Structures are given as structure tokens and as C-alpha cells.
């Protein structure tokens, strides 16, 4: 949804957001609206997760923080460059890792947990649109999880596997939160923006592994490249329980946002990815007894669809989502992953801006990884599973409180590992 919100569509661009009502810091005496009219939008947000773990590696609780500052520049207004936008987003992530220290899950437990506390550029790119914005080209520092393999109905879940598929996250440093690489992304819409296709070519290793806290653009020997492509369909009619979406509204509004607002969410997509560089196989060796070097690759298929409305009210509905991801499993612990879930928008008529989301994830452990563990005397389970339920309560337009419950079976993959239960909450503030 991030790049949907940064669409080059300008039908409503002259009306500034109601900063006084929707942000904590307000309109800064009118300065924020004045900057908007000139083509500059400034945003900020803070997420705080506090989770307490029981089971897994050890019992205990931790607090994580994620601060993001964003600047969007409409280059048509600023420089006369039609259908062009620049975007910069810095992330500051801190807090002791709840998963690293306590749960020990292969998939993680919070989508704002990072290996090393740091401040980094997550986005720094230019995008130019062509042919009435049916085609766009982006260049710069760009995380692929901003657009690829997204499950928008699962966006409020804390578990990280509803963002990047767990098998891809474990590979050789893909361009994901919070370590993005430099690259190119092209995207095209067809058939009244019902069908889209996009592809990205990224540096194979983001930033500089020798400086884990820094942001760096570096094309070192051996980095190789990473490529990913996705084709999808977002039908304008989501079923008899919803009104059809007017194609004109889709042209004026970012496509997914239009579907959500006017007709319920409906999206189907298929994607593939591949690395250009090679990594060592976990088991197989060459004639000299050295590990075979292989290129990692995989793919995914996903679907999400609004099933029916609640009380016949617009914006209140039940949406189902599912995704299946696969990879070769030669060098990582997970080779298959399933996501399934339901989201209820406006579960109570008196709280139309709240959402209740339930999710289940199963990550199958790769046969080669299990063989390595067995050789070390460790008995493994066939898969690691996670169940989650979360309620995002919108207390104000700029403040949300989100209680969360997770249950993880076989964290870390060991058959003897204690199942883990995590209880906590997320606080989200928009500045």
C-alpha cells in the first residue's frame, strides 16, 4: 500500500490533508498545508511493540521501537517535471530483540524487530510516470516489500511472515525492511488498471555487511543481482455483495485504495524471484568435497478478496487472504510457506475504523536443513507454525492501540522446543 499512497494521480492533489485532525503535531500554523500546495508532503510515525514471551528459548519481555520520517516531493509542481515524484524515508529502529533473545523463531515475531539497532534510509528514489501513469519507472534505494508479494488485508498483523515470505527473508540478504538496496523497478497497468505487471532489478546484497548500522550504495564484486517479477489482477467487481467500482475512480485514486474504499479488496497475483550470485549448498558437494554453489530462486501465489459487507455499510467488511511461497531450499531452513487469514474491518458498528485480524502461518522446514540438524543430533519438526489474533483500535485518527496474541509451535524448528505464547500490544502514533 505504500507506493499506492504515492501514486502520481493528481485529481485530489490540490486539497491538502486535514493535518490538524489526523496528526498529533497538526498543521504547524498552516506551514504544513502550504508545503503541500508547493508539492512537499512531510509525514512521521512511531510504532512501539511490547511483547512478553513464554516458552521458546526463554521467558521474558521486550520493547521495540520503529520511528519513520517521510518526505514526498511532487516534481511537477516543484520543477515542472510532469508525472514525477521523489520520495525519502528514514527508519530508526531500536529495542532489544524479543525473538532473538526469547522466542527463537525462524520466522520472527514482530515486523519491526531488526538484528542491529540503526537509523537507515529505507527509501530514496525517483519515479517517473508515462502514458497517463499506466507505466512508471523507479530508480534508487527501494525495498521490494513495499509493493511485491503484499497481503494488504494482513497489514495489521505483527508477525513478519505476512510481509516478505519467510523463505525469501532467510536468503542471501534481499532488499527488505530495514536494509534496502539500490535498483530499478518498472510497473505497468492494463485493462482499466485491473491487470498489472511489475519487475525489479536490485543489487544482490544491500548496504555494506561490514558496516551493519550504515546506509551504503556499493556494488562489490560477488554481490550479483536480485530480480523479481509479479503479475496481478484486481477485478473492479468483487461480487454481488458490493457495488461495482467505477473505473474513473480507479484512475483518480491509487488502485488498491479505490478497490478498498468503493468495492472491497480483490487481488490475485503470481511472482517469481532469483539471485544472480551463488551460495553454498547445505549438503551437496563437488568432486573436491567443497559445497556446491547454487543460485537461490523461488516464487509465490497470493489472493485476497472481500467476502461480504457487515451490516451493509461501506468500509465494513470481511476479507479472506492466502499466500503460498516456495523456494529451492538448498541453502536455507525454510522451503515452503502458507499464510491464511481473515480481516474484519469495522467489526463493531460503533467502531467502524477498527479492524480485527486472524492469521495462520506454516513454514515447512527444508529437507537439507533437517538433514544437517539430524547430523548434529538435533531432532526437528516438519514445520514451524504461528497463530495470531490482533485488534487494531483507532482511538483517534492519529493514535491506535493494538493488543496482540501469538502462539508459535516448534519455534526454531527443534522438535523438543517449547511452544511459545506471546502477549502484548502495539501503539501507533502519526505525527
Amino acid at each position: 500500500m505504500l507506493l499506492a499512497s504515492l501514486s502520481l494521480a493528481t485529481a485530489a492533489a490540490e486539497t491538502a490533508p486535514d493535518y490538524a485532525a489526523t496528526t498529533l503535531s497538526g498543521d504547524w500554523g498552516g506551514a504544513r498545508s502550504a508545503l503541500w500546495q508547493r508539492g512537499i508532503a512531510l509525514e512521521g510515525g512511531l510504532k512501539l511493540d511490547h511483547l512478553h514471551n513464554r516458552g521458546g528459548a526463554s521467558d521474558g519481555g521486550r520493547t521495540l521501537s520503529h520511528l519513520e520520517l517521510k518526505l514526498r516531493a511532487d516534481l511537477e509542481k516543484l520543477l515542472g517535471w510532469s508525472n514525477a515524484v521523489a520520495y525519502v524515508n528514514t527508519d530508526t529502529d531500536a529495542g532489544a530483540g524479543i525473538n532473538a533473545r526469547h522466542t527463537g523463531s525462524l520466522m520472527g515475531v514482530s515486523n519491526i524487530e531488526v538484528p542491529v539497532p540503526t537509523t537507515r534510509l529505507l527509501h530514496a528514489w525517483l519515479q517517473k510516470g508515462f502514458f497517463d501513469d499506466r507505466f512508471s519507472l523507479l530508480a534508487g534505494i527501494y525495498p521490494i516489500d513495499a509493493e511485491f508479494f503484499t497481503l494488504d488485508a494482513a497489514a495489521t498483523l505483527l508477525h513478519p511472515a505476512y510481509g516478505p515470505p519467510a523463505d525469501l527473508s532467510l536468503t542471501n540478504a534481499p532488499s527488505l525492511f530495514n536494509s534496502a538496496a539500490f535498483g530499478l523497478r518498472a510497473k505497468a497497468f492494463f485493462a482499466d488498471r485491473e491487470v498489472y505487471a511489475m519487475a525489479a532489478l536490485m543489487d544482490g546484497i544491500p548496504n555494506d555487511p561490514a558496516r551493519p548500522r550504515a546506509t551504503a550504495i556499493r556494488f562489490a564484486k560477488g554481490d550479483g543481482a536480485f530480480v523479481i517479477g509479479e503479475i496481478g489482477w484486481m477485478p473492479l467487481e468483487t461480487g454481488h455483495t458490493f457495488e461495482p467500482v467505477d473505473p474513473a475512480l480507479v484512475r483518480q485514486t491509487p488502485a488498491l485504495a479505490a478497490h478498498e474504499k468503493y468495492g472491497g479488496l480483490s487481488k490475485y497475483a503470481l511472482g517469481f524471484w532469483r539471485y544472480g550470485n551463488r551460495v553454498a549448498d547445505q549438503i551437496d558437494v563437488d568432486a573436491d568435497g567443497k559445497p556446491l554453489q547454487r543460485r537461490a530462486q523461488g516464487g509465490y501465489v497470493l489472493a485476497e478478496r472481500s467476502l461480504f459487507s457487515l451490516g451493509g455499510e461501506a468500509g465494513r467488511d470481511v476479507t479472506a487472504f492466502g499466500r503460498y511461497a516456495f523456494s529451492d531450499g538448498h541453502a536455507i531452513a525454510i522451503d515452503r510457506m502458507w499464510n491464511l487469514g481473515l480481516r474484519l474491518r469495522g467489526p463493531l458498528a460503533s467502531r467502524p475504523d477498527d479492524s480485527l485480524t486472524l492469521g495462520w502461518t506454516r513454514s515447512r522446514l527444508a529437507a537439507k536443513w533437517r538433514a544437517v540438524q539430524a547430523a548434529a543430533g538435533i531432532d526437528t519438526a516438519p514445520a514451524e507454525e504461528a497463530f495470531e489474533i490482533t485488534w487494531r483500535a483507532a482511538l483517534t485518527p492519529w493514535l491506535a492501540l493494538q493488543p496482540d496474541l501469538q502462539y508459535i509451535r516448534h519455534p526454531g524448528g527443534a522438535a523438543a522446543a517449547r511452544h511459545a505464547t506471546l502477549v502484548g500490544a502495539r501503539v501507533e502514533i502519526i505525527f
Side-chain angles (χ1 to χ4, degrees), residues 227-360:
V227 294
I228 185 170
E230 179 177 307
I231 185 168
W233 176 44
M234 297 182 295
L236 296 183
E237 293 189 25
T238 62
H240 67 277
T241 56
F242 296 94
E243 292 298 321
V245 182
D246 185 346
L249 293 173
V250 178
R251 286 192 289 273
Q252 295 170 7
T253 310
L256 281 173
H259 283 248
E260 282 272 67
K261 183 175 181 181
Y262 299 105
L265 178 62
S266 188
K267 175 185 171 184
Y268 310 89
L270 173 69
F272 295 94
W273 54 266
R274 180 179 170 88
Y275 283 93
N277 60 348
R278 298 174 184 267
V279 294
D281 191 281
Q282 298 178 91
I283 295 289
D284 298 338
V285 297
D286 61 19
D288 296 325
K290 297 179 180 179
L292 285 178
Q293 301 295 305
R294 300 185 184 274
R295 291 189 175 94
Q297 59 186 354
Y300 55 90
V301 58
L302 64 87
E304 45 190 342
R305 180 182 176 89
S306 296
L307 304 177
F308 54 88
S309 61
L310 295 171
E313 299 179 32
R316 296 186 60 222
D317 53 41
V318 176
T319 298
F321 59 86
R323 184 176 63 186
Y324 170 67
F326 56 91
S327 62
D328 51 53
H330 293 309
I332 56 175
I334 294 171
D335 65 357
R336 300 288 185 273
M337 189 195 73
W338 294 260
N339 302 114
L340 292 174
L342 288 172
R343 182 197 64 184
L344 286 72
R345 286 197 304 173
L348 301 177
S350 59
R351 302 199 57 83
D353 296 324
D354 288 6
S355 64
L356 171 65
T357 311
L358 301 89
W360 168 77

Side-chain angles (χ1 to χ4, degrees), residues 130-136 187-193 251:
F130 306 88
F131 314 116
D132 191 26
D133 292 336
R134 288 182 177 274
F135 177 79
S136 64
K187 187 172 186 177
F189 285 97
F190 310 93
D192 281 329
R193 291 175 168 80
R251 286 192 289 273

Side-chain angles (χ1 to χ4, degrees), residues 49 51 61 90 94 152 168 189 200 205 211 233 254 262 268 377 415 419:
D49 285 359
L51 295 170
T90 65
D152 294 280
L168 176 58
F189 285 97
I205 298 182
R211 296 182 295 151
W233 176 44
Y262 299 105
Y268 310 89
H419 300 333

